[in-house]
Each structure stands twice: as structure tokens, then as C-alpha cells.
């Protein structure tokens, strides 16, 4: 059976030593966030995830969810008890506003908890994760009455939430939705239509499910500009907050998926269900994107999560499995064979995973800090700068993070050899669960196009220029330490490749828009390489400072410096090859007629 230990030491290092969260004590919600407090939260969240959620992960995969004859859904064995424990512990309420029952703490801490939960049990964590996204949308766009009615019980997890976008005939192109909202005399709307791929759409974990549904009003434009957002509860809510009659929304079926079997992915039928408008008419997509952007950061974290848990299990296997001898001579002559750790190709896969997971964790948590600063920084210009930076990095965190997370999960399965292909070892589940993260909340191709087509040009390219300058400045500073000079030089060179790719896109997208689209995926990966490289420069700098200060945890910090070197040597050079792929343009990619793709008999 696979195992999981929350990487609490690494999380504490990032939050306390890299981000220095206690230095933001003047901002709302940060006042009590001392290193000791951070340590307590991280350690306890790690125990909860490892002891309560991880043991039911494989059960959720093998058992899955069951749709009953009455259209209700039963979650796998142990999920209900674990969700009750989660509700009681209050882990999901950390960063939500105190006025609605949350704890008002920084988003960074909530993101640490989200990583641990997603790593321990991806499918389970989605029930609370989607609720958090719905909460964000209602906080931003809900009326005071809607907020008072729904938010306290969603924050407490007495009720959960969903997002309903996709329909059988449309996914990315939401202008094609057919779900309709007919105004009623009492100010509500009758919602009718079918939504598919609705994660956590029906289940037995909470008393109510609050659906946020995209639909079109009569006479609305037949495009994405004609979409409105509605709140549609599974059970209607009475004036006193108690639950009333069942609404006309039901689970028609559960999707049979490649992975995340423990999460109920439903087809939902709305048959004149009672709903209420959230925000303005025909402005629903903007409201839903608040939820989607929050979800995209969480999905990027899921890429890290599956890489982390598969890495942990591969390390254990490589320590125990004995096959062959070291090329330089037997490492343990008294044994019949050496462990897998003596083989450079196994080391390559494990070092790739270590270098990715530690840097990706740093990037995700630094991104979460930008979310905090975008709302809470003291000055408007600081809030705007943080908002621009996380806007720029969101498609990178989601797209690059999940692409590499899946690659790492596959390679960690490879470490197991034939045993990795056998279900009981658990590596197959990690691969299958990781795969969805590249697809939902906007496929990674959409993330790449969002980055290249929208984010680079926002505000005259101010965010990407600030990113370039930040990388160059921090690399220049790191070169002063001989332990980091080589790392900084290689990350700086990768940043130069990113700048060159940016310039090429600016010059050639005007000639042919397909040039930008053809290179978008590679551009997103270059930016991911540079962003993680920046994290390694920062982590290396913090590790060197700790060693200079005489820390007694020398093994931890020295490993950071070695891994930083490995990243610079093995990841950073890929930026040049990707830049050259971008410069290949779109001509050959788009030239063949459609008929040429069909296989001739």
C-alpha cells in the first residue's frame, strides 16, 4: 500500500525562511502569524492529511462513487467520516473572512493545507476545494443577502459548492451553452438545462450543495457576452436558514473516469430549478472566472501533489529494491545486489522529481502570497503589482505545473519497473489522478493561449517586464556567492531565452496570429523553467544564509544547494531548445490539408 508523509519541513522553510511571513505583521490577518504559529498549523495539517486522508485514498480509487436509484450519490467507504473530521477541524476555513465564520488567516497558510490534502487524497480534497472557489465567487459578486444566506455554512463545510459551466455541446466555447433562466414573478429564475463534468455535483458528505450555474436569459446575446451566473441550491433555504424543499436539480449519471474515482463527477439535470442571479445580467462569465482563477491555482497545486506523493513512494522503493551493481563497483559487497539508488538513470528520475517538487512548492506558495498582497497590501500600487504578477503566473502554475506533475508521476512509476504497472502498488493511481489536472479548469493549451494572447500584453506588458527584471536582479545578487554563481548564471541565461522568445512572438504574431498560438505551449514551459529557476535561486540564497549562520540542520540546507545545481544543469538548458521551437513558427504546422491527417487504406 502506498504511503504519504507531509513535507512539513520543506513547507516551514518556504513560509518562514523564504517568504518570511512574519514580516507582514502590519497587514490584516498576518498579525499573529509568527514562525511558531506557522509551525503548529503546518505540522498539525500534515498529521491530519497523512493520518486521516491518505489511508482512504486507494479505497476511493478502487471503490469509487455510486449513483443510487433515487439519483443520490454515495461516496467511497471512509469519505463521510473523514469529511466530518475535516469539518470539525476547520482546516477549510483558514483564510476565509471572519465576518462569515472564517479564521481570516493568510491565503498562504491555506494553500499549504490544500497541498497536503490534495497529495494525501486528490479526489477527496476536491469536495472542499470546489467549495472554496464558490465561496470566492460569492464574496466577490454575491449580494449581501446571498452572502449572509450561503457563506457561513459553506465556510463551515456544512454545505458544499460547485461550478457548473460545461454542457454536452460546449466546453471551452461557453458562448454555445443552452441552459436557460426564465424570470419568475418572485424575483427568482427557473433554470433548465443539462450540465456535465460537474465535480462534487452530488454526494452524501454535506447537508446541502450550492451550485453556481451559467445560463442565458431570454433575449441574451448568443455569445459569451450573453451569459449570466445563478446560485441554485440543492435544497431551498428558508428565511430562518433551515433547509426547505428539494430543488429541481438531479444527478442523471456519474462519469466513468480514468482517475479521481473518489470524486463524484456528475451529469446534472436542471428541470426548472429555482435560482437567483449573482451579480449583473450577462456578466456571468466574469463572475465565474473569479472562481476559475482560484481553482486554476489549486489545480497547479494538484500537479505538485501527485508529483510529490509518487516521488515519496519511488524513493522508498528505490531504497529497498536491489537490482544489479553500481557501475563503479559494488556499493554493498556483502549484499547480492545494490539498491536502485546506485544507478544514474534512476537517480536522474528521482532528482528531476526532487528539483521540480521543491521549486514548484515555493512557486505555488509565493503565488499564494501575491494573492494575499493583492487584497491586503498597504498601498494601492503594491496591491496592483501583486495582482498583475499572480495574473501573469496563474496559467504557468496551472499549465506548466500540471504538465510536469504528470511527467514526474509517470517517471516515478517507471522507477518501480513492472511493479509500477500493478495496481496494488498504487503508482498507477497517481498517474491516472494526475492526468485530469492537465485537462480541467481550462486545458493546458488554453492556459498557454491565455498567457501569450492576454497576459503578456496587459497594461503594456508591465507584468512580464517586472518579472524579467526581478529574475535578473536576484540572479545578479546570487552571483556574489560562489556556491550559487553557477546556478544564477544558468537561470539568468534561461531568462534571456524567455526574453528572446517574447520578442519573437511580438514581432511575428502580427504577421500571422498562428505564430503565437503555435508557440504558446513552448513559451509557457520556458516561463515555467525560469519561474522555478528563480525559486531555486531564492532557496539557494536562503540555504546559504542558514549555513552561514551556523544552522545545525546542515543536511537539509546542503541538499538545497545541490538540488539547485542540478536544476540549473538539467532543467534550465531546455529553455534554449524551446525558444528555437517557437521560432519555427506555424507554417509547417498549419500547412497540411485536413485530409492528409487521415490514414490511407
Amino acid at each position: 500500500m502506498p504511503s504519504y508523509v507531509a513535507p512539513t519541513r520543506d513547507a516551514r522553510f518556504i513560509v518562514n525562511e523564504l517568504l518570511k511571513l512574519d514580516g507582514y505583521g502590519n497587514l490584516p490577518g498576518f498579525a499573529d502569524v509568527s514562525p511558531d504559529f506557522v509551525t503548529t498549523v503546518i505540522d498539525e495539517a500534515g498529521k491530519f492529511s497523512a493520518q486521516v486522508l491518505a489511508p482512504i485514498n486507494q479505497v476511493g480509487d478502487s471503490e469509487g462513487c455510486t449513483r443510487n436509484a433515487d439519483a443520490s450519490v454515495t461516496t467511497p467507504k471512509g469519505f463521510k467520516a473523514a469529511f466530518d473530521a475535516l469539518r470539525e477541524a476547520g482546516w477549510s476555513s483558514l483564510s476565509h473572512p471572519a465576518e462569515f465564520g472564517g479564521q481570516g488567516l493568510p491565503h498562504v497558510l491555506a494553500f499549504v493545507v490544500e497541498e497536503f490534502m490534495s497529495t494525501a487524497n486528490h479526489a477527496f480534497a476536491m469536495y472542499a476545494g470546489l467549495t472554496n472557489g464558490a465561496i470566492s465567487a460569492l464574496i466577490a459578486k454575491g449580494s449581501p443577502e446571498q452572502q449572509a444566506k450561503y457563506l457561513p455554512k459553506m465556510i463551515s463545510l456544512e454545505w458544499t459548492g460547485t461550478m457548473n459551466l460545461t454542457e454536452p455541446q460546449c466546453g471551452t466555447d461557453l458562448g454555445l451553452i443552452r441552459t436557460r433562466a426564465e424570470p419568475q414573478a418572485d424575483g427568482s429564475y427557473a433554470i433548465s438545462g443539462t450540465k456535465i463534468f460537474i465535480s462534487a455535483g452530488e454526494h452524501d458528505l454535506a447537508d446541502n450543495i450550492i451550485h453556481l450555474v451559467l445560463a442565458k436569459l431570454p433575449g441574451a446575446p448568443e455569445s459569451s457576452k450573453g451569459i449570466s451566473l445563478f446560485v441554485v441550491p440543492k435544497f431551498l433555504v428558508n428565511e430562518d436558514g433551515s433547509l426547505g424543499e428539494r430543488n429541481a436539480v438531479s444527478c442523471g449519471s456519474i462519469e466513468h473516469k480514468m482517475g479521481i474515482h473518489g470524486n463524484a463527477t456528475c451529469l446534472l439535470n436542471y428541470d426548472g430549478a429555482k435560482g437567483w442571479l449573482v451579480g449583473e445580467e450577462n456578466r456571468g462569465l466574469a463572475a465565474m472566472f473569479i472562481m476559475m482563477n482560484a481553482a486554476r491555482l489549486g489545480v497547479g497545486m494538484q500537479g505538485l501533489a501527485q508529483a510529490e506523493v509518487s516521488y515519496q513512494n519511488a524513493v522508498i522503493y528505490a531504497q529497498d529494491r536491489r537490482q544489479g551493481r553500481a557501475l563503479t563497483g559494488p556499493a554493498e559487497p556483502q549484499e547480492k545486489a545494490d539498491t536502485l539508488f546506485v544507478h544514474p538513470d534512476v537517480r536522474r528520475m528521482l532528482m528531476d522529481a526532487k528539483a521540480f517538487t521543491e521549486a514548484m512548492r515555493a512557486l505555488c506558495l509565493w503565488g499564494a502570497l501575491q494573492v494575499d498582497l493583492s487584497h491586503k497590501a498597504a498601498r494601492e500600487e503594491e496591491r496592483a503589482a501583486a495582482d498583475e504578477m499572480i495574473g501573469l503566473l496563474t496559467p504557468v502554475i496551472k499549465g506548466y505545473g500540471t504538465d510536469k506533475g504528470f511527467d514526474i508521476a509517470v517517471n516515478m512509476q517507471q522507477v518501480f519497473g513492472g511493479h509500477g504497472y500493478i495496481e496494488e502498488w498504487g503508482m498507477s493511481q497517481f498517474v491516472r489522478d494526475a492526468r485530469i489536472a492537465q485537462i480541467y479548469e481550462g486545458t493546458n493549451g488554453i492556459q498557454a493561449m491565455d498567457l501569450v494572447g492576454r497576459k503578456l500584453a496587459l497594461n503594456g506588458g508591465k507584468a512580464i517586464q517586472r518579472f524579467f527584471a526581478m529574475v535578473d536582479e536576484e540572479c545578479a545578487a546570487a552571483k556574489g556567492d560562489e556556491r550559487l554563481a553557477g546556478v544564477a548564471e544558468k537561470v539568468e541565461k534561461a531568462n534571456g531565452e524567455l526574453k528572446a522568445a517574447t520578442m519573437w512572438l511580438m514581432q511575428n504574431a502580427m504577421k500571422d496570429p498562428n505564430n503565437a498560438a503555435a508557440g504558446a505551449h513552448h513559451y509557457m514551459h520556458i516561463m515555467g523553467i525560469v519561474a522555478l529557476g528563480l525559486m531555486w535561486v531564492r532557496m539557494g540564497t536562503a540555504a546559504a544564509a542558514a549555513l552561514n549562520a551556523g544552522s545545525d540542520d546542515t543536511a537539509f540546507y546542503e541538499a538545497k544547494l545541490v538540488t539547485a545545481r542540478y536544476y540549473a544543469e538539467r532543467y534550465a538548458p531546455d529553455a534554449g531548445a524551446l525558444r528555437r521551437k517557437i521560432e519555427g513558427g506555424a507554417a509547417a504546422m498549419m500547412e497540411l490539408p485536413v485530409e492528409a491527417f487521415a490514414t490511407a487504406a
Side-chain angles (χ1 to χ4, degrees):
M1 182 177 179
S3 63
Y4 171 62
V5 176
T8 54
R9 176 65 181 93
D10 202 49
R12 293 196 305 271
F13 165 72
I14 293 168
V15 175
N16 286 332
E17 299 178 59
L18 202 69
L19 303 181
K20 301 183 187 298
L21 221 57
D22 58 340
Y24 296 92
N26 61 313
L27 303 182
F30 284 78
D32 298 322
V33 184
S34 66
D36 286 344
F37 179 80
V38 167
T39 296
T40 299
V41 169
I42 289 176
D43 288 353
E44 291 304 313
K47 290 177 186 175
F48 178 86
S49 298
Q51 296 172 7
V52 177
L53 304 187
I56 59 172
N57 188 38
Q58 206 167 22
V59 174
D61 182 60
S62 60
E63 188 175 314
C65 296
T66 304
R67 180 185 180 275
N68 305 307
D70 62 355
S72 65
V73 171
T74 302
T75 52
K77 181 180 178 181
F79 272 46
K80 180 72 167 65
F83 202 80
D84 290 344
L86 174 63
R87 182 186 299 116
E88 171 133 0
W91 288 117
S92 68
S93 67
L94 284 183
S95 62
H96 293 309
E99 64 186 291
F100 299 118
Q103 301 178 50
L105 292 168
H107 188 61
V108 175
L109 286 181
F111 223 35
V112 173
V113 177
E114 187 171 341
E115 182 206 333
F116 292 172
M117 289 177 55
S118 292
T119 313
N121 196 322
H122 181 158
F124 177 93
M126 290 172 64
Y127 290 99
L130 287 158
T131 304
N132 288 335
I135 289 168
S136 297
L138 288 173
I139 288 173
K141 297 295 182 179
S143 67
E145 294 77 17
Q146 289 169 344
Q147 292 173 349
K149 178 177 284 190
Y150 299 114
L151 288 178
K153 291 193 175 181
M154 293 174 74
I155 287 172
S156 70
L157 282 187
E158 292 172 78
W159 301 348
T160 61
T162 71
M163 54 194 299
N164 285 231
L165 294 81
T166 308
E167 298 182 8
Q169 77 287 349
C170 70
T172 300
D173 192 353
L174 290 170
L176 299 176
I177 67 171
R178 296 173 184 159
T179 300
R180 298 293 162 177
E182 296 288 340
Q184 304 297 295
D186 63 359
S188 67
Y189 295 80
I191 310 298
S192 298
T194 297
K195 296 289 184 178
I196 63 170
F197 304 161
I198 308 306
S199 301
E202 174 63 28
H203 55 78
D204 57 356
L205 303 180
D207 295 334
N208 204 1
I209 303 174
I210 311 304
H211 302 292
L212 292 184
V213 184
L214 292 182
K216 289 188 175 180
L217 293 164
E222 291 296 328
S223 68
S224 61
K225 295 180 179 179
I227 298 174
S228 299
L229 180 64
F230 300 87
V231 57
V232 186
K234 173 182 172 180
F235 289 98
L236 300 178
V237 182
N238 297 321
E239 290 301 318
D240 63 359
S242 63
L243 295 184
E245 64 184 34
R246 176 68 186 259
N247 209 349
V249 52
S250 62
C251 173
S253 64
I254 296 177
E255 303 292 350
H256 299 282
K257 310 184 298 290
M258 177 179 173
I260 55 168
H261 296 155
N263 194 272
T265 306
C266 301
L267 179 151
L268 294 182
N269 292 316
Y270 290 85
D271 300 304
K274 191 177 284 286
W276 288 266
L277 182 68
V278 177
E280 302 174 45
E281 291 184 4
N282 301 328
R283 298 295 300 275
L285 200 54
M288 186 64 86
F289 264 110
I290 294 168
M291 186 174 180
M292 288 185 70
N293 284 331
R296 284 170 175 173
L297 291 172
V299 172
M301 183 68 84
Q302 290 171 355
L304 162 63
Q306 294 307 314
E308 173 67 32
V309 70
S310 59
Y311 165 70
Q312 287 190 17
N313 283 275
V315 167
I316 294 169
Y317 185 81
Q319 289 172 329
D320 293 340
R321 180 73 165 173
R322 293 185 178 276
Q323 294 285 287
R325 289 296 192 185
L327 295 175
T328 53
E332 297 179 74
Q334 74 280 9
E335 299 288 346
K336 292 183 178 180
D338 294 330
T339 69
L340 294 182
F341 261 94
V342 304
H343 302 300
D345 193 59
V346 173
R347 285 271 188 154
R348 170 187 63 82
M349 292 186 284
L350 294 173
M351 284 298 293
D352 278 356
K354 182 175 175 63
F356 170 76
T357 54
E358 293 180 17
M360 187 65 188
R361 179 173 299 112
L363 180 63
C364 286
L365 295 182
W366 181 63
L369 178 59
Q370 302 313 300
V371 173
D372 282 317
L373 295 177
S374 71
H375 296 292
K376 299 177 179 180
R379 296 184 298 121
E380 171 57 32
E381 52 266 40
E382 291 178 291
R383 294 194 293 274
D387 189 58
E388 284 180 353
M389 188 57 64
I390 193 56
L392 176 71
L393 289 173
T394 292
V396 178
I397 290 172
K398 195 281 185 187
Y400 182 74
T402 59
D403 278 350
K404 294 302 296 181
F406 178 74
D407 289 347
I408 296 297
V410 170
N411 277 340
M412 296 306 94
Q413 184 186 39
Q414 187 77 10
V415 170
F416 279 70
H419 291 296
Y421 204 65
I422 304 301
E423 288 293 336
E424 65 198 64
W425 287 89
M427 301 306 288
S428 169
Q429 182 187 353
F430 301 145
V431 171
R432 288 183 285 103
D433 285 356
R435 186 64 183 91
I436 186 58
Q438 297 170 285
I439 298 171
Y440 61 12
E441 307 307 341
T443 65
N444 286 358
I446 295 297
Q447 303 306 315
M449 284 301 300
D450 178 46
L451 174 64
V452 169
R454 293 181 63 250
K455 299 298 175 59
L456 291 184
L458 282 179
N459 297 321
K462 194 185 333 183
I464 189 64
Q465 293 299 326
R466 277 204 313 114
F467 181 79
F468 291 153
M470 179 169 53
V471 175
D472 283 341
E473 288 168 12
E474 296 190 36
C475 286
K479 287 180 185 177
D481 188 324
E482 63 180 10
R483 293 166 293 186
L484 295 169
V487 175
E489 287 170 3
K490 290 178 175 63
V491 173
E492 185 179 58
K493 184 175 181 180
N495 194 36
E497 303 286 7
L498 181 62
K499 292 177 189 176
T502 306
M503 183 62 67
W504 189 91
L505 288 174
M506 289 174 60
Q507 292 171 343
N508 290 275
M510 294 291 288
K511 300 175 186 174
D512 181 356
N514 282 333
N515 282 327
H521 171 83
H522 300 312
Y523 185 89
M524 179 178 71
H525 274 238
I526 299 177
M527 192 163 179
I529 289 167
V530 175
L532 265 61
L534 174 63
M535 295 303 112
W536 274 117
V537 169
R538 290 177 175 178
M539 288 190 288
T541 300
L547 290 170
N548 291 344
S551 170
D552 56 5
D553 196 0
T554 55
F556 176 84
Y557 294 113
E558 287 173 353
K560 286 290 181 190
L561 291 173
V562 172
T563 311
R565 275 175 39 218
Y566 180 88
Y567 183 89
E569 292 167 359
R570 294 284 178 154
Y571 274 78
D574 289 343
L578 290 170
R579 190 258 303 165
R580 288 188 287 276
K581 286 187 177 185
I582 292 170
E583 292 174 354
M589 185 181 294
M590 305 304 293
E591 185 173 330
L592 283 181
V594 174
E595 296 77 16
F597 287 87
T599 301

